[in-house]
Amino acid sequence: MIPNVLTVAGSDSGGGAGIQADLKTMLALGVHGMSVVTAVTAQNSLGVQGAWELPVESVRAQYRSVVDDIGVQAVKTGMLASAELVEAVAELIAGTDAPAVVDPVGVSKHGDALLAASALDSVRTKLLPVATVATPNLDEVAQIAGVRVEAERDMRTAAAAVLAYGPRWVLIKGGHLPGDAVDLLTDGSEEHWLRAPRHDNRHTHGTGCTLASAVASQLAKGQSVPEAVAAAKDYVTGAVAAGFALGGGIGPVDHGWRFRTGTER
Ligand SMILES: Nc1ncnc2c1ncn2[C@@H]1O[C@H](COP(=O)(O)OP(=O)(O)OP(=O)(O)O)[C@@H](O)[C@H]1O
Ligand SMILES: Cc1ncc(COP(=O)(O)O)c(N)n1
């Protein structure tokens, strides 16, 4: 049986992040990808030119259509835009018997806000408590938990601060630190450091979405959280290494890197 994985996220018209990155990742990892669109962005390699939230009834209806008939083995969340959507999605996840990977998307790579400041409290009190794994980047850790990570040694404090909001596991992504690309996965008792060489490639649009979707895909296949995160890290590292130019700015990671023979571009 092919596992079903659901992303609840925003659309990126440029195809590098958001729903589009999630579905490509799911295909590459051999699961059936499904989507609940929370917002539509007009976006490209240069930034986000516009964003429109969908009505909360539309998000609830999409979710119910998928879960009630098809069923899901894992859920992943990305851009949720507003407090109302964060709270609705948290409630839907709480009623779903499947692991949930929560990527608490705050701002795009270009600095465009993808979550209202007024939604942060709902992320802390409603969304994080229903997460099996939360995957904040360093800016999101600062916004959510008020911890500034300036070096690898601060990541443990950051993880403890996020875990206090109730996710079972937290994966602190150190992609924005200099040096190796180091992430820390912990549930407060086990600690797993994931280290990969930093690829000197500016075309990294979509790394966070890709990593979280890969974790959800591996969980849906029955892996444990540490196994799923290790496999997801391998996948995103290869995708960053193969990231390519597109448009005039920051290009996407290559979701199809494992399928390429090396002659395509
Ligand atoms: N240049 C790089 N080389 C290798 N791995 C990277 C690089 N940049 C990021 N990563 C890895 O990609 C994953 C996503 O991390 P990152 O901190 O970039 O998340 P994010 O900030 O949510 O994504 P984005 O920067 O696209 O918004 C992590 O596993 C991180 O270590
Ligand atoms: C619709 C949408 N969702 C999320 C991101 C963040 O992307 P990244 O994976 O680069 O952090 C984005 N730029 N657009």
Side-chain angles (χ1 to χ4, degrees):
M1 197 195 81
I2 300 176
N4 300 324
V5 182
L6 176 63
T7 170
V8 182
S11 164
D12 169 5
S13 52
I19 290 277
Q20 288 78 1
D22 298 338
L23 293 175
K24 291 175 195 182
T25 300
M26 292 170 194
L27 177 66
L29 295 179
V31 300
H32 174 64
M34 304 180 291
S35 59
V36 167
V37 181
T38 56
V40 173
T41 69
Q43 189 170 173
N44 56 25
S45 72
L46 301 172
V48 177
Q49 289 81 40
W52 299 266
E53 276 169 54
L54 265 74
V56 70
E57 317 84 81
S58 139
V59 169
R60 277 206 196 92
Q62 293 174 72
Y63 194 99
R64 290 264 63 94
S65 294
V66 170
V67 172
D68 295 349
D69 172 45
I70 301 169
V72 294
Q73 279 71 53
V75 179
K76 176 255 165 180
T77 69
M79 174 184 179
L80 296 178
S82 69
E84 197 187 14
L85 285 177
V86 169
E87 294 190 12
V89 170
E91 196 181 309
L92 289 163
I93 288 174
T96 307
D97 185 18
V101 180
V102 168
D103 184 12
V105 172
V107 288
S108 81
K109 188 143 273 168
H110 292 92
D112 311 284
L114 300 175
L115 180 76
S118 57
L120 270 178
D121 219 43
S122 307
V123 169
R124 294 185 192 105
T125 60
K126 301 281 182 0
L127 189 60
L128 290 178
V130 299
T132 309
V133 191
T135 66
N137 67 19
L138 300 186
D139 297 328
E140 290 151 2
V141 167
Q143 271 194 318
I144 293 168
V147 176
R148 291 235 142 263
V149 176
E150 271 150 22
E152 246 174 82
R153 62 173 182 278
D154 305 327
M155 288 171 78
R156 213 174 251 152
T157 314
V162 177
L163 279 177
Y165 293 107
R168 290 252 313 280
W169 292 82
V170 64
L171 175 64
I172 304 285
K173 297 177 293 190
H176 299 195
L177 286 176
D180 282 351
V182 179
D183 309 329
L184 170 62
L185 173 72
T186 176
D187 65 352
S189 54
E190 282 177 46
E191 204 176 72
H192 303 265
W193 289 89
L194 297 113
R195 188 174 294 273
R198 168 166 306 276
H199 291 290
D200 184 19
N201 182 353
R202 70 189 286 255
H203 302 302
T204 55
H205 181 51
T207 49
C209 304
T210 301
L211 179 65
S213 295
V215 174
S217 301
Q218 297 301 116
L219 289 175
K221 292 191 233 171
Q223 290 191 335
S224 67
V225 170
E227 287 168 341
V229 169
K233 176 75 172 171
D234 283 351
Y235 175 70
V236 79
T237 302
V240 172
F244 56 96
L246 196 70
I250 300 175
V253 302
D254 184 3
H255 295 98
W257 68 276
R258 283 188 176 148
F259 306 131
R260 310 222 187 271
T261 59
T263 55
E264 284 87 353
R265 57 170 85 89

